[in-house]
Amino acid sequence: MIQFGTDGWRGVIAEDFTFAAVRRVGEALALELRERLGAGEPRPALVVGYDTRFGSARFADAVAEVLAAHDVHVYLCKGAVPSQGVSYSIVEHDAHGRVLVPASHNPASFNGLKVKGRSGAPASFAFLRALEARIAGLERAGGPPARRGLDAAEDNDQLDRIAPLPDYQARLGQLVNLDTLRHAGLTIVVDAMFGAGAGIMPKLLADGTSKVIEINGSVNPAFPGMRGPEPIAANLTRLSRVVQDGDSSLGLALDGDADRIGVVGRGGEYVSAQTVFALLALYLLELRGWSGPLVKSVNATAMIDRLARDFGVPVYETPVGFTAMAPLMREHDAILAGEESGGFAFRNHLPDRDGILSGLFLLDLLVRRDTDLEGAIAALRERVGDWFYERLDLPCPPDRCDEVLARFASAGSKRLAGVPIARVLDTDGQKYVLEDGSWLLVRYSGTEPVLRLYAEAHSPERVGELLARGRELSGL
């Protein structure tokens, strides 16, 4: 059964993720969109894009053929484009949304679909549940979806082929002074992770005193040397080595569709995405003078709450995923929304993640402070104190999820790893916030069959104790 999780629908290529399944999603999307617009409304339009994974271009063509056959105007990307570049095209072409064929950080055997709305934000939970129900109904009815060849659709004014990157790159130049970064004398190593973000940072920062060294910039859907194109420490050993060997300023890694970022310091050390989130918040509030709410997922750092208190702005905490975060970001005109996995969104841009803009803002932070990454982190710690974070993923079949979470709920403890529990939140899973500010969160992944344990505390030892206690309670 096709189900959309916190970041789209994903499946194993040729087993779950097939041309028949992709076409069925396209059919359901066209019918749902036309019904919601109603009679007499202009013909709906969708942007269709894809990343560098195996078969992504052909899967995107398959979606486009079905949409065109159902009289949906298609703006089909000419090549692989970062997720946020495709989303920006929605606004540029006044489309009703977009379909993207990526599987984000999943292993090479996977592909997926993400559906976005008119603002570029992820489609709402209500829309996705309706889409799933329509897909199921079409499956029961049987019969293949109608299709129209792309050339015929183009001749019939039902399809335009577009190149979104120039407009997207121009928008980045409006949000950060690229000329300043070009002449800042920085040496930056960018790990494109064989994904759709390859070539963009070198182009943006060319022709100055700064130097961009790109690695893993070719198209290779096998993602050699990594389990999947996810910018986490385990996948960034080559980036760390190149940064160290070249005495570079820092390393930036983009995931497969370039909407998330990972960061490595001058010494090759991985910088937690939680620290990156706090650095970006401090940059916008202090150095850029932005004022407004912050939005964070339930698994994001307590440093955001501390900064919010210092600057007198509210914080809104949501379930994991930008499907939940984007509506609050738009409703409250938040300046920044972020999650534990390295995805960050910014006011005046898109209510969705942008790994490339996140990287540019980090570089601008260093230039404005006239410091290196280590100095910026030290300044952050002076303000918020020391915080350490770790996540533990435990394989867990979906049919055991409720049992494991119930075990936590029935524990009835007033203390966790020796510290009194201040409050328990059930926003997404179960989060135990302790009196010293540390916390433990247990939740089932929305994209993989794993139970995730998250912990943050003032020392690595405390983080380890919290995770150990969480694992003990899980019984896994």
Side-chain angles (χ1 to χ4, degrees), residues 177-397:
N177 191 326
L178 294 175
D179 195 56
T180 297
L181 300 184
R182 291 186 190 108
H183 294 90
L186 299 170
T187 301
I188 309 128
V189 184
V190 176
D191 186 349
M193 304 195 96
F194 307 103
I200 295 178
M201 292 284 273
K203 182 176 180 180
L204 289 172
L205 301 181
D207 303 322
T209 60
S210 292
K211 180 181 179 182
V212 179
I213 302 166
E214 186 174 73
I215 63 173
N216 299 328
S218 60
V219 174
N220 191 331
F223 306 118
M226 59 189 75
R227 181 176 178 271
E230 183 175 15
I232 58 175
N235 291 328
L236 301 182
T237 54
R238 185 184 176 200
L239 176 62
S240 296
R241 186 173 64 251
V242 174
V243 169
Q244 286 179 285
D245 292 347
D247 191 28
S248 302
S249 306
L250 76 166
L252 303 174
L254 303 169
D255 72 336
D257 56 349
D259 63 355
R260 290 166 51 191
I261 192 169
V263 180
V264 168
R266 185 187 296 274
E269 71 284 355
Y270 174 74
V271 179
S272 165
Q274 305 280 33
T275 298
V276 174
F277 188 9
L279 285 172
L280 288 169
L282 185 57
Y283 160 76
L284 295 177
L285 290 164
E286 183 178 58
L287 299 180
R288 294 292 294 265
W290 293 15
S291 182
L294 303 170
V295 177
K296 71 169 192 170
S297 57
V298 67
N299 57 352
T301 178
M303 289 185 279
I304 296 301
D305 303 270
R306 173 63 186 272
L307 290 171
R309 287 196 298 271
D310 284 357
F311 287 90
V313 299
V315 176
Y316 297 95
E317 188 168 290
T318 75
V320 172
F322 266 84
T323 303
M325 300 174 75
L328 275 179
M329 188 179 187
R330 297 178 64 199
E331 178 184 351
H332 298 287
D333 193 26
I335 65 171
L336 172 65
E339 57 185 1
E340 167 268 348
S341 61
F344 310 107
F346 307 92
R347 180 194 279 172
N348 302 322
H349 186 41
L350 294 166
D352 202 10
R353 304 174 298 191
D354 192 329
I356 295 171
L357 181 58
S358 299
L360 294 173
F361 276 167
L362 281 175
L363 298 178
D364 194 45
L365 162 65
L366 303 187
V367 172
R368 288 174 182 254
R369 280 201 182 278
D370 191 23
T371 188
D372 57 13
L373 182 61
E374 291 67 26
I377 293 173
L380 172 68
R381 285 177 174 164
E382 285 182 10
R383 183 181 282 271
V384 302
D386 289 329
W387 288 91
F388 298 87
Y389 163 84
E390 192 174 339
R391 185 183 91 190
L392 179 63
D393 291 354
L394 303 174
C396 181

